[in-house]
Amino acid sequence: MTCTDFLSKLTDYFDGQIGAELMVEVKHHIAECHHCHVVLDTTKQTIEVYRDNEIYEFSPELQNRIHTAIMTRCRAVAK
Amino acid sequence: MSTATTLIPAVPLVPEEIHPDVALVARAKEGDTAAFEQLVRQYDRQVFRVAQHITQNREDAEDITQDAFLKAYEKLDQFQGNSKFSTWLVRIAVNESLMRLRKRKTSKTVSMDENVQTDEGSIPRDFADWSPNPEQQFGTAELGEILRKTIQGLPPGFRTVFTLRDIENLSTEETAEALGLSVPAVKSRLLRARLQLRERLSRYFRQNKNEGSKP
């Protein structure tokens, strides 16, 4: 497996959609190629750091304001 | 000892699990605004987050959240239940967000296809480890600033796929459905989005930062 082959399988790897045979090849490549090992690890960290950190504030005040506006508009439509 | 044969029921005794949203949507369709209010409570944060990620503008995200729920309320009859209510709602929010981007850039066309042909940043060039991990390297506020600044630099077509797939945890199929894209197109954009973000974040998170390109 080349580094390009590995990259093309990266999305399927994260999605757990790689067959057993190909998985052996991928694991073998990662064990041999430090660059691809780093790419795999840091891409995984990229996904996790965005998933685990709420980067846009959604304060209770903002939530209340939005909630009130939505329900006022919906009730007006319902009449 | 009884010799009676044990009867095995032809149909499973445990019915297929029905998502609680189904009942709320059914009640809302019949005019129960309290049921719809419950759906708003459940998904307002998610809709706001999706809109903010795509538009990168707080006021727009606030307006879009309102408009998306109102549109969903008005079109509830069109929701057939073939997908999850949340996926259907996110699809409305994505459409509203992309429309807002188009309005903002009156002289430029903004679409899911904009800039997605570029491979810039999709070919890994930085092979430094991230250790200690980003949360150990930066405080919450500083990390948030880095993450906001970095995702803002992605083309909207990549940013949207990454948001739905990796942040909102939609499946590849749900993402494709929400964006009107094929599954291979979602996979291709997701790969490039992840690699571009990784490359850009590496400027901040890499070991021996002084040896690499500065942020």
Side-chain angles (χ1 to χ4, degrees), chain A residues 21-61:
Chain A
E21 215 170 294
L22 194 55
M23 184 59 99
V24 172
E25 281 187 56
V26 168
K27 287 195 169 161
H28 180 73
H29 182 77
I30 298 165
E32 299 271 302
C33 176
H34 179 65
H35 282 182
C36 285
H37 175 79
V38 169
V39 169
L40 177 71
D41 179 60
T42 50
T43 305
K44 187 166 171 274
Q45 288 197 57
T46 297
I47 298 166
E48 286 170 354
V49 78
Y50 273 103
R51 196 171 280 171
D52 296 346
N53 288 276
E54 191 81 63
I55 62 172
Y56 301 118
E57 194 195 0
F58 193 66
S59 64
E61 292 76 26

Side-chain angles (χ1 to χ4, degrees), chain B residues 47-83:
Chain B
V47 169
F48 178 82
R49 194 167 49 216
V50 167
Q52 171 97 55
H53 268 295
I54 297 174
T55 63
Q56 295 293 310
N57 182 286
R58 190 171 185 76
E59 286 74 31
D60 283 349
E62 194 172 332
D63 289 347
I64 289 162
T65 306
Q66 288 186 34
D67 293 347
F69 275 106
L70 185 69
K71 197 162 264 184
Y73 186 72
E74 289 174 328
K75 292 176 182 284
L76 266 183
D77 282 340
Q78 293 176 22
F79 175 65
Q80 302 296 321
N82 298 327
S83 59

Side-chain angles (χ1 to χ4, degrees), chain B residues 193-207:
Chain B
R194 285 168 168 173
L195 291 176
Q196 285 192 23
L197 281 177
R198 186 206 79 90
E199 199 73 18
R200 290 165 196 223
L201 287 178
S202 203
R203 297 171 197 166
Y204 300 94
F205 301 153
R206 72 196 310 277
Q207 277 182 332

Side-chain angles (χ1 to χ4, degrees), chain B residues 23-38:
Chain B
L24 287 172
V25 171
R27 281 169 50 200
K29 277 183 178 179
E30 288 168 11
D32 183 348
T33 49
F36 190 74
E37 196 164 8
Q38 179 63 35

Side-chain angles (χ1 to χ4, degrees), chain B:
Chain B
M1 185 183 278
S2 166
T3 54
T5 311
T6 307
L7 291 175
I8 300 169
V11 288
L13 290 174
V14 181
E16 198 179 321
E17 200 175 321
I18 297 171
H19 197 286
D21 287 355
V22 173
L24 287 172
V25 171
R27 281 169 50 200
K29 277 183 178 179
E30 288 168 11
D32 183 348
T33 49
F36 190 74
E37 196 164 8
Q38 179 63 35
L39 291 166
V40 173
R41 275 187 223 286
Q42 281 173 205
Y43 298 115
D44 55 2
R45 182 182 293 271
Q46 184 181 18
V47 169
F48 178 82
R49 194 167 49 216
V50 167
Q52 171 97 55
H53 268 295
I54 297 174
T55 63
Q56 295 293 310
N57 182 286
R58 190 171 185 76
E59 286 74 31
D60 283 349
E62 194 172 332
D63 289 347
I64 289 162
T65 306
Q66 288 186 34
D67 293 347
F69 275 106
L70 185 69
K71 197 162 264 184
Y73 186 72
E74 289 174 328
K75 292 176 182 284
L76 266 183
D77 282 340
Q78 293 176 22
F79 175 65
Q80 302 296 321
N82 298 327
S83 59
K84 284 193 285 189
F85 176 76
S86 58
T87 307
W88 182 70
L89 184 63
V90 163
R91 183 162 54 184
I92 295 173
V94 168
N95 287 336
E96 292 287 318
S97 302
L98 292 175
M99 262 194 324
R100 190 64 65 118
L101 277 186
R102 287 187 197 106
K103 274 186 198 165
R104 206 196 296 160
K105 293 187 173 183
T106 46
S107 60
K108 273 180 77 179
T109 310
V110 177
S111 74
M112 283 302 297
D113 296 322
E114 189 190 23
N115 293 339
V116 293
Q117 297 309 317
T118 178
D119 269 329
E120 190 188 334
S122 300
I123 298 157
R125 294 182 197 286
D126 194 320
F127 301 107
D129 280 317
W130 295 359
S131 180
N133 71 39
E135 275 99 349
Q136 290 167 327
Q137 289 188 49
F138 294 95
T140 309
E142 203 178 354
L143 182 61
E145 183 59 30
I146 291 169
L147 297 178
R148 279 191 293 275
K149 202 159 45 175
T150 304
I151 201 166
Q152 198 168 27
L154 274 191
F158 287 173
R159 203 164 61 218
T160 304
V161 169
F162 181 80
T163 299
L164 298 190
R165 188 67 191 76
D166 282 341
I167 298 175
E168 300 306 331
N169 222 8
L170 268 66
S171 69
T172 304
E173 289 73 18
E174 286 170 334
T175 305
E177 187 196 327
L179 300 178
L181 292 171
S182 67
V183 165
V186 169
K187 283 188 175 184
S188 158
R189 288 173 196 205
L190 183 62
L191 174 65
R192 286 186 282 170
R194 285 168 168 173
L195 291 176
Q196 285 192 23
L197 281 177
R198 186 206 79 90
E199 199 73 18
R200 290 165 196 223
L201 287 178
S202 203
R203 297 171 197 166
Y204 300 94
F205 301 153
R206 72 196 310 277
Q207 277 182 332
N208 307 316
K209 294 180 185 68
N210 294 337
E211 292 172 16
S213 53
K214 288 184 179 174

